[in-house]
Amino acid sequence: MKARLTCLCRGLGKAYFGFAINSQVDISGISAEVRTDLGNQLPVGIYRLNSKDMLILAVPLLGSGGVHISIMLRLDSGMVKSLYSGKLNWIAIKWLSRYCYKIKRKLAFALRDIDQQVYSHQIHVKPELALESPAGDLIIKGVVCGPYSCRNSDIFLLDESGSRSDSGNLSVGRCSDVVTFSQRRSEISFTLRIPMDGNTYTLVADGNCSNEQPGFLCFDAASVQYYLSTLSPLFYKASSAGAYASSHSKRIDYLSMLDFSECKLISGPLFSIVVPLYKTPVSFLNDMVHSVINQAYSNWELILINSTPECVELAAALDKLTDKRVKVVTLESNKGISGNTNFGIAKAKGDYVVFFDHDDTLDPFALYRYAERIQDCPDTDALYCDEDFLNETGEYVAPHFKSDFNLDLLRVHNYITHLLCVRASFAKELMLRKEFDGAQDYDFLLRLVERTQNIYHVPEVLYHWRISDTSTAKSAGNKNYADDAGRRALQEHLDRCGLNGTAELTDSACFYHIAYALNEEPLVSIVIPNKDSVEVLRRCIDSIEEKTDYRNFEILVIENNSTEDATFEYYRTVPEQYENVRIATWDGPFNYSAINNYGVGLTSGKYLLFLNNDTEVIESCWLSSMLSFCQREDVGAVGAKLLYPDDTVQHAGVMMICCKNEGEMGGPIHVFNNLDRDDPGYMRRAVISQDLSAVTAACMMTKRSVFEELNGFNEDFEVAFNDVDFCLRVRSLDKLVVFDADALLYHYESFSRGYETGEKKIRFMREQGKLRTAWAEYYVNGDPYHGPMSTM
């Protein structure tokens, strides 16, 4: 009796070998050994295909030249009989796999999926997240799920020779018990970082149990791309090339079926669209003008300022324009971008001035959407919309889905850009300033927000920014003078606002950083609830005391229902070690809100910082940085950037997801969760400070005056959502909630926490319902700081 190789296939870095065997053979008596050419033993899964006389071996598909396969059967007598011994190289495996997929397609798929159909005695290595770090590493997060008897699995990495590899960085989390399909199982979280160097790697989980199958996850070039495309945690997936091309194509089809005649009947403001022309290519001019003429809203004037009359082709094209709403102003010479634009502003007769670049185009509904808003809200002083890029091949790419008005985001980057529309009285008062050419629009906006913040965001892509050799979209990164002009404009803005800060350049063009100085050094009271977990609390307090550069703080630990002797011994000694540490006791049941409210009453700081005991300070400036934001009169709460111990993002702010229907949960999620710590995220929003709807109270600062005005945390939220509710109430006071990207701490919360069950699940759902009732507008309208496309 022998086993005969009859088929094989490949899938996600694995090879599946199918052997014909006698159906009477008991598979439990079969063992297999697979080795590389170098003699390294590989993990192997052994399966029987249902209703088939077929044995299947699953093996990592490494780049080591080939494999040596031995299959043995242990007989009832105790003797071992060889069923198969042979060698296959990878070229043969590749072509046999292609043959199997083509000729025996159904069988090939059955082989490829066999290891996903076995559960009871199988260790599964399940990837849950995949992303590429800025350094070029592949980051994989997932869980090793196996039989309870294998809870101490050996988890390790193999290189493509089959040897244990030290090229990657493997972090293994805590082991937790789960019950699945009525079976007791164990789950161990992991984070793996491996170089994307073209080599093949395999993550192996070996339970070292004789009756259990090992699990493994392979990373060859094809599987890496598959995981990146399907397991990306990135927000704004709608901005990816494929997704956006599809959605834009649907919009074009939609527009082609519309009759704009009814839209043109809407009365409203007169828009004066100002376009400075400088050596404008005629094709770009025609596209730009036609995009205005074809607007669904018709009450506009287009003012074209030609600063290059020597361009004969351009002058001839302008002479051919016949629409009476188009007005051409020819200058004797070029006055620069600010000077040329100011001529147009001065000529404008409209209620609003619209700033439009000479080589860009508008969506047909741009002015219509703006007119709608102004008609509904006549106090609107400025508007802007989402935008994308029009590349050289005529494709619409890289959409920028923007935040609603976001003062702190604007102070580090001109995210508003296009299509800026401003009440004419403000435009004529402010004009553009020549000394800031290159960043004249940024300077204009910073001066505008000092006068009004009635600025509205239309969350639709209505502006198409052309990428060409002559456009600012393509060359902005090379204009150092523009970068410095923006920094100077920002510094003047800070000075005019009386803000004690220094505007700084960054490594990214047109993105800035503000180093705020402290106006005073008030006492900050740090409140930390705790139950046992002495070493966790010790790490937290030691990191605060040893790494914090701002020294005027006190720490109040609130003891709640601890039982371990070591905890109370630490409580006795830590005030002796650090004179600014005190211990208080909360005797009631756990209620996060009530515990912190109680603790605040025992502190005296002008500022309060709520901190989880499972955090650890990373950067020494964390406290001073948060305080520098919180000291501003317009700020009510400040949150930090928190990292998992594997150096991926645990918290970069909280956003509220809207519900598409009444049955959806919606509500708060952490933004940019699981990105690499240095990954800038969408539009660099994971690494820059900005205003948000909410931040986590795992590390949150607020003014005592604000806390008292709000009567502290709402004690109806015993465990979950108390911080979200607090922040949304801060926003209801018309104060800002700021995410401080410079305040960096570790948060040792596991990235794979599982699902709440039993009473915990009931409590969670109850508190979710309370949040939904209290803040229904966020569930209906979504988060103003992250557009409706953020999680699509």
Side-chain angles (χ1 to χ4, degrees), residues 507-712:
D507 293 337
S508 299
C510 300
F511 283 84
Y512 306 98
H513 178 265
I514 300 174
Y516 288 106
L518 295 176
N519 300 326
E520 56 176 341
E521 294 190 4
L523 178 66
V524 178
S525 297
I526 302 176
V527 180
I528 307 175
N530 185 72
K531 177 183 178 181
D532 291 319
S533 306
V534 172
E535 293 309 314
V536 171
L537 178 63
R538 188 195 310 275
R539 179 182 59 205
C540 176
I541 292 178
D542 286 350
S543 72
I544 297 170
E545 297 286 359
E546 295 170 7
K547 297 180 182 178
T548 304
D549 59 9
Y550 184 85
R551 300 310 303 173
N552 192 16
F553 64 86
E554 63 173 354
I555 298 176
L556 178 69
V557 178
I558 309 174
E559 149 61 24
N560 178 225
N561 297 321
S562 293
T563 60
E564 298 174 1
D565 292 340
T567 303
F568 296 99
E569 175 62 19
Y570 181 68
Y571 289 162
R572 186 187 66 79
T573 59
V574 69
E576 299 173 358
Q577 182 181 6
Y578 303 115
E579 61 181 16
N580 59 349
V581 176
R582 292 183 293 126
I583 311 296
T585 300
W586 168 260
D587 291 323
F590 180 81
N591 180 316
Y592 179 88
S593 299
I595 290 172
N596 280 285
N597 289 344
Y598 166 75
V600 168
L602 302 176
T603 62
S604 53
K606 183 177 179 179
Y607 292 85
L608 307 170
L609 186 120
F610 301 98
L611 190 66
N612 279 18
N613 63 350
D614 60 345
T615 56
E616 179 184 1
V617 173
I618 300 175
E619 300 289 350
S620 62
C621 68
W622 72 287
L623 193 58
S624 57
S625 182
M626 295 178 76
L627 182 58
S628 72
F629 278 109
C630 206
Q631 70 182 355
R632 284 173 23 198
E633 180 61 31
D634 59 342
V635 173
V638 181
K641 184 172 183 177
L642 304 179
L643 304 177
Y644 292 119
D646 61 14
D647 281 324
T648 59
V649 175
Q650 190 266 341
H651 169 269
V654 174
M655 70 171 287
M656 300 291 288
I657 302 177
C658 68
C659 299
K660 298 182 180 68
N661 58 63
E662 293 85 345
E664 288 190 343
M665 287 299 292
I669 62 169
H670 283 195
V671 185
F672 302 121
N673 186 235
N674 289 304
L675 287 187
D676 183 78
R677 68 182 289 174
D678 297 322
D679 193 318
Y682 184 72
M683 296 305 297
R684 300 194 64 80
R685 291 190 64 180
V687 294
I688 54 180
S689 301
Q690 63 204 269
D691 304 325
L692 295 175
S693 293
V695 294
T696 179
C699 181
M700 181 182 75
M701 180 181 287
T702 187
K703 298 180 178 72
R704 180 181 292 274
S705 59
V706 170
F707 190 82
E708 292 175 347
E709 184 176 358
L710 294 173
N711 295 316

Side-chain angles (χ1 to χ4, degrees), residues 431-497:
M431 295 295 206
L432 302 183
R433 298 199 290 178
K434 183 177 179 59
E435 59 266 36
F436 295 97
D437 273 1
Q440 71 287 337
D441 51 348
Y442 188 40
D443 170 66
F444 178 89
L445 273 168
L446 291 171
R447 289 183 291 128
L448 176 65
V449 300
E450 295 165 21
R451 289 161 171 77
T452 179
Q453 294 187 7
N454 291 330
I455 299 174
Y456 183 74
H457 165 223
V458 179
E460 292 182 56
V461 176
L462 302 175
Y463 191 95
H464 307 302
W465 194 354
R466 189 186 298 273
I467 301 174
S468 70
D469 290 335
T470 60
S471 71
T472 57
K474 190 169 186 177
S475 59
N478 298 321
K479 293 186 176 180
N480 292 331
Y481 76 91
D483 212 17
D484 187 64
R487 184 199 59 77
R488 290 188 288 108
L490 176 57
Q491 186 63 61
E492 285 199 8
H493 164 73
L494 296 174
D495 295 342
R496 289 191 301 269
C497 293

